[in-house]
Amino acid sequence: MRFPDPPRRTLAISAMTLLILLATGCSVVPAYRKPDAPIPAQWMTPSETPGAAGTTGAAGTPATPATAATALPPSVVARVFWSGFGSPQLDALLQYGLVSGPDVAIARARLEQAKGAADVAGSSASPTLGIGADLSRGSTSGKRSTSVTFQAGFTPDLWGALDARTQSAGEGARATEFDLVSVQRNLLSQIAAQYFAVRACEERLRLAQLVADDASRLLGLVERQASLGAASALDVAQQRNAVQTLQAAIPALRQQRVAAVAQLAVLVDVPPVMLKLDGEPLLQLTVPDVVAVSPADVVDARPEVQAAEARLRAANFDVGAARAAFLPSLSITASAGWLLNPTAAAWGVAGSLLQPLFDGGQRKGQLRIETGKSAEMLASYRQTLLQVLQQTETQLAAVAQLKEQERFDAAAVDSARESLRLARIRYERGASDLLAVLLSQKTLAQAQDTLVQVRQQRLQAAAALFVATGGRTLPVDTPSTASVRPDPRIADASHVPDTTIHAHSNRAFDAGRPLQGVAP
């Protein structure tokens, strides 16, 4: 079957017209310029430790942790940092949370949607092709007619509008990918913070029970002295009230631990009853000394900043697409068909050039929308950048100041313990009344509880600093778990009660499947 030959002059004119239009086509997308950012040269809180063991810089000279953090792959830096807490159980929770955490699953689903939207936008610049068939039969003649038709269409991107929409969708997908990284890092920090909260509740509960037991023993002593006439009924009532007050604090701490475990379970996507935690004293966890990288490196590493810039670029492409709507558009269609009974063939090529003249201000309004959105994304980018700097400054100060605060609180525990020892000796010898003992008991209990909470805050601040620096923080030294010893200024950590939650689950926390793994 042969199609009739078209006039050569017609083909030449059509081809020349198309080439001229394509050659003269240009993009109306505004030139993108990365916004100027007020990035300081250094942080407000200076680093205390100049270098990290085991890293070398140029020419074999010792490198700072900041240099190593920027030189090593992010996954290696993350593994080294999280292992610095010396908790294999925490490492396993972190890794499991990255795999099964609901926030991560939601972010991954959104990324798939964004990639799909980018595919849809990119398809608009491709030709279309279709095929159709028709079968008919007349009632009078009884003859059957069959035809097959091919259709094709193409819209040349004269002004770059189609490419702008494609690029905008691509930048949107890229921003969503950075959002996924941000969700993952924030989830790591949340899991670590909640794990530290669980361990702190256990330590506070243990201390509260020890103090209450000690007060009960003192109550027995006062009652014996009262029976001998060496103590008054007031002394007995005061000490009994102290014991009851201390015992009343224990149920509240138990409730806090249950709530903390339940929240941790949600973060790793398991029912609270199925989360099995082995005993691990808070005071055996290492607080890694960390050194942050420079402000410029933090800004480059934070996924929130990268996502904000990707959305800014997407908005810039949207402005170009809105501008192109004011210009003519060209569409080309072609068709070819066969009629099988009787046998015949036909083809056709058509082109249309459309210049919008009046639409009631629709195109102008759309351009205003996209221009305003671009300005919004620019302001959002600057706001995000400043928030990143603020978060890092806050966590750097927290790490430094909490370390100093813990040193003072530890000294306060030593002083309170000595004060209680002397007060009890004086009371037993009749040199002072029971009130001095009661005050010393209360002071020691408060000092010990404060020290535990400060240790928890130090651990949480170190984890938060890792996220604030965009995953570019290395511990100066990472001691092994075996080298860490409990703090003797708080009561013996070997008496931590059994905190295992026994449960049956078909997931990674099944009975018989220990929590072990490497940090993500």
Side-chain angles (χ1 to χ4, degrees):
M1 186 178 301
R2 185 173 183 274
F3 290 102
D5 293 332
R8 294 183 178 179
R9 183 177 181 182
T10 302
L11 289 177
I13 294 175
S14 301
M16 184 62 68
T17 303
L18 179 60
L19 289 174
I20 293 174
L21 289 172
L22 292 176
T24 57
C26 61
S27 175
V28 293
V29 177
Y32 177 77
R33 179 184 176 186
K34 187 172 182 177
D36 295 330
I39 302 177
Q42 60 185 10
W43 302 108
M44 295 172 59
T45 303
S47 173
E48 296 181 359
T49 308
T55 59
T56 56
T61 59
T64 65
T67 303
T70 54
L72 294 173
S75 59
V76 175
V77 176
R79 189 184 305 272
V80 172
F81 174 79
W82 292 113
S83 64
F85 290 100
S87 172
Q89 192 166 197
L90 174 61
D91 295 343
L93 287 170
L94 294 173
Q95 189 169 26
Y96 191 76
L98 284 180
V99 175
S100 302
D103 289 340
V104 175
I106 292 172
R108 285 199 177 103
R110 289 174 178 169
L111 177 58
E112 286 301 312
Q113 298 173 41
K115 288 181 177 179
D119 292 340
V120 171
S123 66
S124 61
S126 302
T128 60
L129 179 65
I131 184 174
D134 180 66
L135 178 63
S136 62
R137 186 171 185 174
S139 59
T140 57
S141 63
K143 293 182 178 180
R144 186 173 60 182
S145 175
T146 304
S147 64
V148 179
T149 305
F150 289 91
Q151 293 182 339
F154 178 63
T155 302
D157 192 10
L158 300 180
W159 318 112
L162 299 180
D163 181 69
R165 296 189 185 98
T166 301
Q167 295 291 341
S168 175
E171 291 294 341
R174 190 164 177 263
T176 309
E177 190 170 0
F178 286 126
D179 290 341
L180 172 60
V181 177
S182 177
V183 168
Q184 289 174 328
R185 289 178 181 169
N186 288 329
L187 178 62
L188 293 178
S189 178
Q190 292 170 10
I191 291 175
Q194 205 58 38
Y195 180 76
F196 298 145
V198 171
R199 296 313 185 192
C201 286
E202 294 168 354
E203 184 66 19
R204 294 176 66 194
L205 180 62
R206 185 185 67 83
L207 288 173
Q209 188 64 61
L210 288 176
V211 173
D213 292 344
D214 184 67
S216 297
R217 289 191 293 270
L218 182 59
L219 174 61
L221 173 63
V222 174
E223 289 175 339
R224 288 192 298 272
Q225 290 182 338
S227 64
L228 299 174
S232 66
L234 176 61
D235 291 339
V236 175
Q238 287 177 331
Q239 183 61 23
R240 182 176 292 113
N241 175 262
V243 172
Q244 293 168 344
T245 300
L246 293 171
Q247 290 175 339
I250 293 176
L253 291 173
R254 288 173 179 163
Q255 188 275 331
Q256 291 178 24
R257 184 193 179 278
V258 171
V261 171
Q263 188 171 350
L264 177 61
V266 172
L267 292 174
V268 296
D269 195 30
V270 295
V273 72
M274 294 182 179
L275 180 60
K276 178 181 178 297
L277 293 177
D278 298 328
E280 186 174 52
L282 175 76
L283 302 178
Q284 288 187 356
L285 299 178
T286 306
V287 184
D289 290 326
V290 295
V291 176
V293 295
S294 68
D297 289 331
V298 168
V299 170
D300 290 339
R302 280 292 291 266
E304 294 87 351
V305 176
Q306 295 168 326
E309 186 177 1
R311 291 187 170 92
L312 177 59
R313 286 193 294 264
N316 189 68
F317 284 116
D318 289 337
V319 171
R323 287 180 177 180
F326 290 87
L327 302 173
S329 61
L330 174 66
S331 62
I332 301 172
T333 59
S335 63
W338 290 268
L339 184 61
L340 303 181
N341 187 20
T343 302
W347 67 272
V349 178
S352 64
L353 187 66
L354 177 63
Q355 169 62 60
L357 297 178
F358 178 74
D359 58 6
Q362 179 181 358
R363 289 168 296 156
K364 184 178 180 180
Q366 187 64 36
L367 180 59
R368 291 187 62 183
I369 291 174
E370 302 302 343
T371 303
K373 182 180 177 181
S374 179
E376 177 190 354
M377 292 300 102
L378 175 60
S380 178
Y381 171 82
R382 292 180 60 85
Q383 181 185 45
T384 301
L385 187 145
L386 293 175
Q387 288 175 345
V388 163
L389 296 175
Q390 175 263 322
Q391 292 168 5
T392 308
E393 290 281 13
T394 300
Q395 296 307 323
L396 281 171
V399 167
Q401 299 306 317
L402 286 171
K403 182 178 181 180
E404 184 176 3
Q405 181 179 347
E406 184 180 28
R407 181 168 59 86
F408 287 120
D409 286 333
V413 169
D414 291 338
S415 299
R417 183 179 287 112
E418 180 65 12
S419 175
L420 176 60
R421 186 185 71 84
L422 296 175
R424 292 186 65 166
I425 292 175
R426 288 176 60 83
Y427 175 74
E428 292 170 359
R429 295 177 179 178
S432 64
D433 57 12
L434 184 63
L435 181 59
V437 178
L438 294 177
L439 291 176
S440 298
Q441 278 184 334
K442 183 178 180 180
T443 300
L444 177 59
Q446 291 176 343
Q448 289 178 325
D449 190 73
T450 299
L451 182 56
V452 171
Q453 294 185 63
V454 171
R455 173 64 64 87
Q456 173 193 348
Q457 293 171 11
R458 281 194 65 198
L459 291 165
Q460 292 175 337
L465 179 60
F466 178 79
V467 176
T469 57
R472 284 305 188 183
T473 303
L474 275 176
V476 174
D477 189 17
T478 308
S480 62
T481 305
S483 66
V484 181
R485 293 291 181 266
D487 191 333
R489 291 170 294 228
I490 306 179
D492 184 11
S494 63
H495 294 100
V496 175
D498 182 15
T499 58
T500 300
I501 301 177
H502 298 283
H504 298 284
S505 168
N506 58 356
R507 310 190 71 167
F509 300 101
D510 291 349
R513 293 184 64 185
L515 289 176
Q516 57 185 349
V518 295

